[in-house]
Amino acid sequence: MMEKKGCQYCDFQGPDNIGMEINSQLRLSEEQMFQSDWEEGYWFNYLKKVSSKGVVLVSLHTDNEFYGCDSDELRIHYCPICGRKLIDENS
């Protein structure tokens, strides 16, 4: 996969250090996502830089009871959108 320059999904910004939300294609903060009305059934996916050597794909979704939210995180090495390598294994 060819690397794209300026991919907004792996351009980590703000105090949350996250990229653009993948489903809505909007730049949202984690606070905005957490304030959602979870009874409506939301699902957010975004990349988050957690350290200089780590990036996770976060899936934030309505819980089984439609009352709150659950979060899953998967450590990744490449952006699933542009293919850019996200960590420097030598650092």
Side-chain angles (χ1 to χ4, degrees), residues 23-41:
N23 299 329
S24 67
Q25 299 179 342
L26 297 173
R27 189 159 293 276
L28 303 170
S29 69
E30 284 185 311
E31 182 178 343
Q32 288 173 302
M33 289 184 261
F34 279 114
Q35 290 177 352
S36 297
D37 182 4
W38 294 104
E39 293 176 359
E40 298 294 320

Side-chain angles (χ1 to χ4, degrees), residues 1-4 79-84:
M1 189 179 282
M2 299 273 311
E3 181 177 327
K4 292 181 183 176
C79 175
I81 306 301
C82 72
R84 179 173 74 98

Side-chain angles (χ1 to χ4, degrees), residues 35 48 58 60 67 70 90:
Q35 290 177 352
K48 180 174 185 170
V58 179
L60 186 62
Y67 179 73
D70 288 328
N90 298 320

Side-chain angles (χ1 to χ4, degrees), residues 54-65:
V55 174
V56 293
L57 171 61
V58 179
S59 177
L60 186 62
H61 49 88
T62 301
D63 65 15
N64 293 341
E65 298 163 352

Side-chain angles (χ1 to χ4, degrees), residues 3-16:
E3 181 177 327
K4 292 181 183 176
K5 294 189 181 206
C7 175
Q8 296 182 9
Y9 300 97
C10 61
D11 176 22
F12 306 109
Q13 295 184 4
D16 299 332

Side-chain angles (χ1 to χ4, degrees), residues 50-51 53-58 73-78 87:
V50 292
S51 71
K53 293 185 76 171
V55 174
V56 293
L57 171 61
V58 179
E73 294 184 1
L74 176 67
R75 185 169 298 267
I76 60 174
H77 297 279
Y78 297 90
I87 62 168

